[in-house]
Amino acid sequence: MEHVPPPAEELALLDRELAQLDARRAHLLTRRAWLVGALQPQAPNAPRWSTPPVGHGWAPGQPWGSGPRSAKPSAPRSAQNVLLTLGGLLLTVAAVAFTLVSWGSMGIGGRSAVLALVTLAALAAPAVLLRRKLAATAEALAALALVLTLLDVYAIHAVAAPDADGLTFTAVASAVLAALWAAYGLALGKLHLPLPAAVFFVQWPLLLGAWAAGAPAIVVGWALLVTAVVDGAIALWGKGLGVRVTAGIGLAVMGSAALLVGLGESLTAGGPLGALLPGALLLTAAVAALAGAWRAPDGHAQVGGAVAGLAAVAAVGGVLRAAVPGTWQVPVYLLCGLALLSVVRVRLPRSAGRGVLLAAGAVVAGALVWALPPVAAVLLGPVQLVAEVWAGAPDGLRGALGASMPWSETAAAPVVLAVVAGGLGAAFRWWPALVRVAAPLITPGAKVRGAAGAAALGLGWGTLLLAAATLDVPYPVAVALETVLVAGLLAVAVLGADRGAGGAGSAEGAGPGGGIGTAVRVSALVGAVGGAASVGLLSLASEAATYAVFGALALLFTGVALRTRAVVEQAVLAVAAVVWGTVLTGCAARSLGLAPHEAAPLLLVVPAVTVGLGARLRRHPVALPVELTGALGGLLALGLAVGRAPFLALVLALCGVLAAGAAVRPERRPVAGYLAAVLFVAATWVRLAASEVSVPEAYTLPVTVPALVVGVLRRRKDPGASSWTAYGPGLAATLLPSLAVAWTDPDWLRPLLLGVAALVITLLGAKYRLQALLLLGGAVLALDTLHELAPYVVQVAGALPRWLPPALAGLLLLAVGATYEQRLRDARRLKDVLGRMR
């Protein structure tokens, strides 16, 4: 017979075993660390282990501190660099202090001699140090020499040439320093600082010289461009990472500044002749960027190609822009950007050519950013009609869109959209030929084709909408046009859904005879829903237009939903049809002159239809979205009736009937059955409250008693039935209304009787293990008790010191935290107990 120790003795035994395991693990880790250190190469003079460490890692008699740690160098290279850097900084600070503070106490000869000697010594010392292989010290003194040369320049300007122009003197000094440090860096090739310093000084001579001469902006732009070209050459052929990085930064800064100067001058030119000089600057920058991209690595070559393309568009477009009216300037730049697509016919390196194509895409995207806001105004402008429904149809489309958009300045926007849509549509149509032509530079896949087709469809639709607003077509024509466009988009979506599964293109569309493509179908479907919402808002200006549009939309979406075979499209279309039907019922209520609460029952017509459709569709995937959309119509009806209690009770009861009708189906019963019960009970409560009934038990007990009898009979017939199904509705019918009244009842009789009844129900639930009785009775008993004790709790809380409640809360939290695991186990045990109840 096996001996089982008591729990306390077994726990102590486990703790001892775990402590021994921890000690063994620590010993093994120490041994492993020693083995790793023994296998690593050691310095020649480093002490070696004579014997392996024992115990906790130290051999007997071994001095403390010996071992692998003592083999490490005492002055690592990082510490040396820190010391040299601090020393160089201190010398630099001393030199600056001497120049600025002590300079005035010496004569001209002493000043020149001191600075010259110190500078020459700082310049000569790195050569000596390099021969002794002290490279880090040489770098520190070279940095000091750099600062001293700057101080020399300052001293020369302050003493020898005090009347010289500051900008001119700085430009000349920058050129001299660039030459000096370039020669010094080439002479001492092992130093890393001189050549990047020379590249830094190269940035300033031309720019400061042009600025000192008072040159116009275009000349400053040329100076920046020449400097950028020099930086590019250094970045391509310079030696050393520091030199190339410094030159690359200078190229980015000076080149960007030159392009901005050229672009600014081009945009502000008064005519084509005035735009020629900025155009020449931009075109030269484009040629230089393309030449650099020809020889640069892949990533930099792509950036260079993009810069070249954008500069060329700005150069040519700037000249043409000055010759056309202001509203047509964006189309000019767009055409220049599209002309960059001809780069596929030019023998350029692959990365550079891709950069040019990126520039073309950036120009097209910029043109669309300019042209799309008016389309958004056309789609969203009718929202203002919601505040003035059926106020009267305006003369033109713009009258229904508001006056927020300056339509005269966007006359060219439809042209931009049409050009881009036409280009994308042509690419989608003749995709194989386009792929063959663009193969040297890019190899777009089928997804790109689908995106092009979707974008072409969306932009074409926006072109027609914006053209109608630009021309200010009559209001009936605009409504009819937008409705026809919605029908066309629905036709495209249905055609794509029916033909997308077959043909050469299958997933993304192939060509004539193939599938239209998933992206195109999705674009058409989204456009149809958005366009339907827009034209529906637009129709709110006129009663006849509202009925005509929403009726047509409901028929269109219903017909297309029945026509298509794709489940997702069918669900979206069916949901939209339900929404349009709900709007039609609301319009009918308004035409009948009904108040909002009176119109609420009428809005339940569509939810009733959706319940019938759900019974017809059964388990079809479209059934659930349709029924949920109809339920949202029921929520809208409840919101309209909430101001009048009798109508709210009626709407709740009608919604309960609809939910009960849905609960007839087995797949909806788990949710719809409980929802129907809740709605019926809520309708009863609201009706009682509306009738100012002060004794709801007279109406609820006649329902509770037979409901409980039916529950008992069901439990006898089916012992496995849930107590919530058998007894929950009957108990809730009386307990909850009585609890609501008890909370506002100043008398003591009802709370007492309710508490006694809840206590009895709770005890019965605990005895017979019935979850519904236990939880419902316990909850009502707790709330009833809280209501009765609330005044006394308030009095006690008012008499307590202010600091005591937070202190008690803190102690409670500490106690719960200290016994968290036990509380968690108790909660799980309670959950298991409740779960085993019926």
Side-chain angles (χ1 to χ4, degrees):
M1 184 175 180
E2 185 179 358
H3 171 68
V4 178
E9 183 179 347
E10 184 179 2
L11 180 61
L13 180 62
L14 291 177
D15 288 340
R16 287 195 297 271
E17 293 288 341
L18 289 175
Q20 293 176 4
L21 289 176
D22 289 340
R24 178 61 178 168
R25 184 174 184 273
H27 172 72
L28 293 177
L29 289 176
T30 303
R31 175 69 177 178
R32 181 184 181 278
W34 178 86
L35 291 174
V36 171
L39 292 175
Q40 290 178 351
Q42 296 179 339
N45 299 326
R48 297 181 178 272
W49 293 95
S50 58
T51 59
V54 295
H56 290 285
W58 300 98
Q62 182 183 2
W64 182 264
S66 62
R69 290 190 179 182
S70 61
K72 295 183 179 179
S74 58
R77 189 175 184 84
S78 58
Q80 178 188 10
N81 292 336
V82 170
L83 293 175
L84 291 173
T85 302
L86 290 176
L89 287 175
L90 290 175
L91 289 175
T92 302
V93 172
V96 173
F98 168 77
T99 304
L100 297 179
V101 178
S102 301
W103 187 263
S105 62
M106 301 180 65
I108 183 65
R111 301 172 187 175
S112 303
V114 170
L115 266 183
L117 288 175
V118 174
T119 302
L120 290 175
L123 290 172
V128 178
L129 293 172
L130 287 175
R131 284 197 295 270
R132 295 179 178 273
K133 297 183 179 181
L134 299 175
T137 308
E139 289 287 353
L141 289 179
L144 175 62
L146 175 61
V147 177
L148 289 174
T149 54
L150 294 176
L151 295 176
D152 287 334
V153 171
Y154 167 76
I156 292 172
H157 180 266
V159 176
D163 298 330
D165 180 65
L167 288 175
T168 304
F169 183 84
T170 306
V172 175
S174 298
V176 173
L177 288 174
L180 171 65
W181 282 98
Y184 187 74
L186 293 175
L188 301 177
K190 294 183 179 180
L191 291 178
H192 298 89
L193 180 63
L195 289 180
V199 175
F200 172 77
F201 289 123
V202 164
Q203 312 302 313
W204 309 108
L206 292 179
L207 175 61
L208 296 179
W211 193 359
I218 193 66
V219 176
V220 175
W222 280 105
L224 292 168
L225 180 59
V226 172
T227 304
V229 170
V230 173
D231 288 329
I234 296 173
L236 287 176
W237 295 296
K239 294 182 179 180
L241 180 61
V243 173
R244 291 195 297 272
V245 169
T246 306
I249 295 173
L251 170 63
V253 175
M254 295 298 178
S256 301
L259 292 175
L260 289 176
V261 170
L263 181 61
E265 291 294 308
S266 177
L267 293 176
T268 56
L273 293 178
L276 287 177
L277 288 179
L281 172 63
L282 293 170
L283 205 56
T284 305
V287 173
L290 194 59
W294 207 293
R295 297 170 179 82
D298 288 344
H300 298 87
Q302 192 164 339
V303 174
V307 172
L310 293 174
V313 170
V316 179
V319 176
L320 298 177
R321 175 205 65 83
V324 298
T327 55
W328 296 94
Q329 293 176 358
V330 174
V332 167
Y333 284 105
L334 175 62
L335 295 177
C336 294
L338 294 176
L340 293 179
L341 297 176
S342 60
V343 73
V344 296
R345 294 289 189 178
V346 181
R347 289 184 171 273
L348 281 179
R350 188 177 180 88
S351 295
R354 284 183 173 182
V356 176
L357 291 180
L358 284 177
V363 173
V364 173
L368 290 179
V369 168
W370 175 81
L372 287 178
V375 179
V378 175
L379 291 174
L380 301 178
V383 173
Q384 64 174 347
L385 297 176
V386 175
E388 299 179 358
V389 178
W390 298 347
D395 295 333
L397 175 58
R398 293 185 193 174
L401 302 179
S404 59
M405 178 62 63
W407 297 104
S408 60
E409 300 178 6
T410 59
V415 177
V416 171
L417 295 177
V419 170
V420 179
L424 293 174
F428 179 77
R429 175 63 178 81
W430 291 287
W431 187 256
L434 176 63
V435 171
R436 286 194 301 271
V437 172
L441 296 182
I442 56 174
T443 53
K447 291 184 178 180
V448 179
R449 182 185 186 184
L457 181 65
L459 293 176
W461 170 56
T463 300
L464 296 176
L465 292 179
L466 190 55
T470 303
L471 298 174
D472 196 18
V473 299
Y475 175 77
V477 175
V479 173
L481 174 64
E482 293 197 26
T483 307
V484 171
L485 288 177
V486 171
L489 291 173
L490 289 175
V492 173
V494 173
L495 180 63
D498 291 342
R499 301 174 61 186
S506 68
E508 294 297 338
I516 291 180
T518 302
V520 178
R521 287 191 286 114
V522 172
S523 176
L525 187 61
V526 173
V529 175
S534 178
V535 71
L537 292 172
L538 184 64
S539 68
L540 295 179
S542 169
E543 183 176 3
T546 300
Y547 281 107
V549 168
F550 280 104
L553 291 177
L555 292 177
L556 278 173
F557 278 81
T558 302
V560 175
L562 296 175
R563 174 69 175 79
T564 185
R565 295 189 298 256
V567 175
V568 176
E569 285 84 348
Q570 196 174 44
V572 172
L573 294 170
V575 167
V578 173
V579 172
W580 311 143
T582 304
V583 174
L584 276 177
T585 56
C587 293
R590 182 178 177 85
S591 297
L592 294 174
L594 300 178
H597 62 276
E598 296 173 338
L602 185 60
L603 288 179
L604 295 179
V605 172
V606 174
V609 173
T610 59
V611 170
L613 285 176
R616 172 76 175 176
L617 295 173
R618 303 296 294 179
R619 297 184 181 274
H620 193 280
V622 178
L624 181 60
V626 169
E627 292 181 81
L628 290 178
T629 308
L632 292 179
L635 288 178
L636 178 60
L638 290 174
L640 293 176
V642 73
R644 296 291 182 92
F647 280 91
L648 179 59
L650 174 62
V651 173
L652 285 171
L654 293 176
C655 290
V657 171
L658 296 178
V664 174
R665 297 154 51 197
E667 66 273 13
R668 298 287 183 262
R669 188 169 301 150
V671 176
Y674 288 110
L675 179 61
V678 170
L679 289 172
F680 282 132
V681 172
T684 303
W685 297 347
V686 173
R687 181 67 261 182
L688 294 176
S691 301
E692 298 182 355
V693 174
S694 59
V695 186
E697 293 81 4
Y699 299 89
T700 59
L701 284 176
V703 176
T704 296
V705 173
L708 293 178
V709 172
V710 172
V712 171
L713 295 177
R714 178 172 180 179
R715 288 273 296 176
R716 287 182 178 179
K717 183 179 180 181
D718 182 14
S722 171
S723 61
W724 289 101
T725 304
Y727 307 121
L731 292 175
T734 295
L735 288 179
L736 297 182
S738 298
L739 179 64
V741 176
W743 268 70
T744 58
D745 192 351
D747 200 0
W748 58 273
L749 182 59
R750 176 179 279 109
L752 176 62
L753 295 177
L754 179 63
V756 171
L759 177 60
V760 172
I761 293 172
T762 304
L763 295 176
L764 290 175
K767 179 179 180 180
Y768 295 103
R769 305 180 63 82
L770 298 175
Q771 189 180 99
L773 276 68
L774 180 63
L775 295 182
L776 269 177
V780 172
L781 178 61
L783 292 175
D784 186 62
T785 304
L786 177 64
H787 171 264
E788 293 303 307
L789 295 179
Y792 305 102
V793 172
V794 171
Q795 292 178 4
V796 172
L800 291 176
R802 296 293 181 89
W803 57 266
L804 189 57
L808 294 176
L811 290 174
L812 177 63
L813 292 177
L814 288 176
V816 172
T819 59
Y820 175 75
E821 294 295 335
Q822 181 63 36
R823 301 288 78 76
L824 193 60
R825 286 192 295 269
D826 294 342
R828 290 171 180 168
R829 192 177 298 111
L830 178 61
K831 178 184 176 182
D832 295 338
V833 171
L834 291 176
R836 289 192 295 268
M837 291 183 176
R838 298 302 300 171

